[in-house]
Amino acid sequence: MKKLCLGIESTAHTFSIGILDFQGNVYSLINDIFIPEEGGLHPALVREQHLDNFMQIINKALSEAKISIHKINLIAFSQSPGLGPVLKIGAWVARMLSQVLKVPIVGVNHCIAHIEIGRLKCNIKDPLTLYVSGGNTIVSAFESERYQIFGETLDLAIGNMIDSFARDAGLQHPGGPKIEKLAIKSNNYIPLPYVVKGMDLSFSGLYTAAKYLLQSVDYGNKYNLNDVAYSLQETAFGMLTEVTERALAHTEKKEVLLTGGVAANQRLQSMIKSISIEHDARFDVVPLKFAGDNGAMIGWAGILRYKAEGGHNISETMIKPKERMDKITVPWRS
Ligand code: ATP
Ligand code: FE2
């Protein structure tokens, strides 16, 4: 009988359950995504939706996997980082299931899970990873026992920045895919602030400048929304590419992994692919089903930790909204 893990993702907009075996075969993955009617993510509203729906999502995942809940051998949940009120729901559901079913529980760092599902699904051993999502912008690689952070944003995350700009332009959340479609229609580059400080990035100046372009007298005259979308992407992705390339030259890794929700963007994929080729590194993108937030990646990172050092005690399962991935040991890679 194969051992099975139920993974619970609950860090932000997505409550997701993934069921997989200890070899990494995924039997089901069910997502429930909070989409704000207007504005950004309000933690209290997200929490209410997740609280209303969690049992239904668990039941759907079990029925898609065609298993009874009593066949589950391990519960994994996203313990860090994320929105406190939302993380608490996943932690609460996980603690309850672990105690009712009398199976071990393991807390997982969400950022490490994004990398581990990429290593599994792309069959990559030791990548330099560019992890780009609504809440994170991180260039990371395994070195000295940890997933070290070589570069990161100093202010806004790339996905959040694009979504905010899209909202200002009157587009509905999530803006990333819509901006990508508009950008394809232009090649009129309008210079925008390109801010790389050392190995870190800053997107707030870029965001403000792009927003002002929408209000300028030249808008709708010398340039249109397609042109601003194009310029925003070229500038932001150029910054990401520069930092990724420098980290690649420094670490001399031979594999590059692109993950997180923004990894869906084909322009970004082609830019990161081209620097990978220049450095003789293999490039891969996490399959889109597993690139955004999902319970399967939490399950897989939980399985890896559990196999290496067993489960957590209940007293160790408190949420850690601010925990950085480079503070955590990864015994399965050491
Ligand atoms: P995290 O908790 O890891 O920060 P998240 O909560 O933002 O993740 P994800 O599903 O990983 O969730 O990423 C969602 C982000 O991906 C949104 O900002 C969305 O606009 C962006 N995105 C999705 N598709 C595209 C695309 N084609 N181009 C650019 N951005 C995209
Ligand atoms: Fe994520």
Side-chain angles (χ1 to χ4, degrees):
M1 200 51 203
K2 281 194 167 151
K3 282 192 143 193
L4 296 171
C5 173
L6 183 144
I8 305 171
E9 157 59 22
S10 171
T11 58
H13 50 62
T14 303
F15 186 91
S16 169
I17 299 289
I19 295 176
L20 66 169
D21 65 29
F22 278 31
Q23 280 67 49
N25 301 299
V26 178
Y27 298 110
S28 64
L29 176 58
I30 305 289
N31 299 334
D32 181 49
I33 303 178
F34 175 88
I35 300 195
E37 277 173 27
E38 56 179 35
L41 281 190
H42 196 303
L45 296 177
V46 186
R47 183 187 60 191
E48 285 310 305
Q49 174 165 324
H50 291 353
L51 271 177
D52 285 348
N53 294 352
F54 77 84
M55 202 59 230
Q56 201 188 334
I57 307 302
I58 293 173
N59 284 332
K60 261 195 199 167
L62 289 166
S63 88
E64 192 175 293
K66 299 192 179 62
I67 59 151
S68 144
I69 197 156
H70 298 286
K71 297 282 181 226
I72 297 291
N73 306 97
L74 177 68
I75 303 291
F77 73 101
S78 48
Q79 186 171 18
S80 66
L83 303 171
V86 185
L87 279 168
K88 268 187 200 163
I89 295 165
W92 179 79
V93 171
R95 288 179 192 186
M96 178 190 70
L97 287 176
S98 154
Q99 291 176 65
V100 169
L101 301 172
K102 299 190 173 61
V103 297
I105 181 170
V106 61
V108 166
N109 176 279
H110 176 97
C111 307
I112 290 179
H114 271 292
I115 296 178
E116 290 303 343
I117 197 76
R119 290 208 309 128
L120 173 76
K121 292 292 167 191
C122 300
N123 200 15
I124 277 184
K125 285 200 170 60
D126 183 27
L128 177 82
T129 303
L130 173 60
Y131 160 37
V132 276
S133 63
N136 289 284
T137 311
I138 293 177
V139 177
S140 165
F142 184 75
E143 233 179 65
S144 313
E145 317 274 297
R146 307 274 163 111
Y147 280 114
Q148 306 291 352
I149 296 177
F150 288 92
E152 63 191 313
T153 182
L154 299 168
D155 42 47
L156 300 174
I158 177 76
N160 188 326
M161 188 275 287
I162 298 177
D163 291 342
S164 301
F165 170 78
R167 199 181 309 130
D168 297 332
L171 304 168
Q172 234 208 337
H173 188 87
K178 289 156 198 134
I179 293 296
E180 177 176 21
K181 284 210 181 80
L182 299 177
I184 290 170
K185 298 184 204 154
S186 168
N187 57 11
N188 176 18
Y189 183 74
I190 308 155
L192 286 169
Y194 180 105
V195 185
V196 174
K197 296 182 182 171
M199 288 293 282
D200 293 328
L201 310 124
S202 162
F203 291 112
S204 61
L206 170 58
Y207 165 66
T208 308
K211 187 166 108 173
Y212 280 144
L213 284 181
L214 299 176
Q215 297 155 5
S216 145
V217 284
D218 293 330
Y219 185 64
N221 170 13
K222 288 191 185 151
Y223 55 82
N224 58 26
L225 182 56
N226 299 345
D227 302 328
V228 186
Y230 169 74
S231 307
L232 182 79
Q233 277 201 176
E234 291 302 301
T235 310
F237 296 169
M239 290 161 56
L240 291 170
T241 305
E242 179 190 331
V243 171
T244 307
E245 179 169 25
R246 279 163 48 202
L248 190 55
H250 171 77
T251 58
E252 299 182 341
K253 298 285 179 190
K254 287 291 152 220
E255 295 157 317
V256 177
L257 179 67
L258 182 58
T259 188
V262 184
N265 191 292
Q266 299 209 353
R267 177 64 182 142
L268 179 62
Q269 289 179 16
S270 86
M271 287 166 92
I272 301 298
K273 184 175 180 181
S274 76
I275 55 129
S276 305
I277 292 170
E278 277 172 29
H279 289 261
D280 287 327
R282 182 186 147 208
F283 169 76
D284 218 334
V285 186
V286 178
L288 294 187
K289 183 176 173 189
F290 299 110
D293 291 352
N294 69 88
M297 71 180 192
I298 301 298
W300 180 238
I303 289 167
L304 292 173
R305 182 168 300 279
Y306 178 73
K307 280 184 181 168
E309 58 181 16
H312 285 133
N313 295 323
I314 282 291
S315 61
E316 297 169 321
T317 57
M318 69 195 326
I319 59 161
K320 300 173 183 171
K322 299 260 179 246
E323 185 171 65
R324 286 171 63 88
M325 73 195 294
D326 56 359
K327 294 282 171 279
I328 300 172
T329 56
V330 274
W332 60 91
R333 293 233 25 207
S334 301

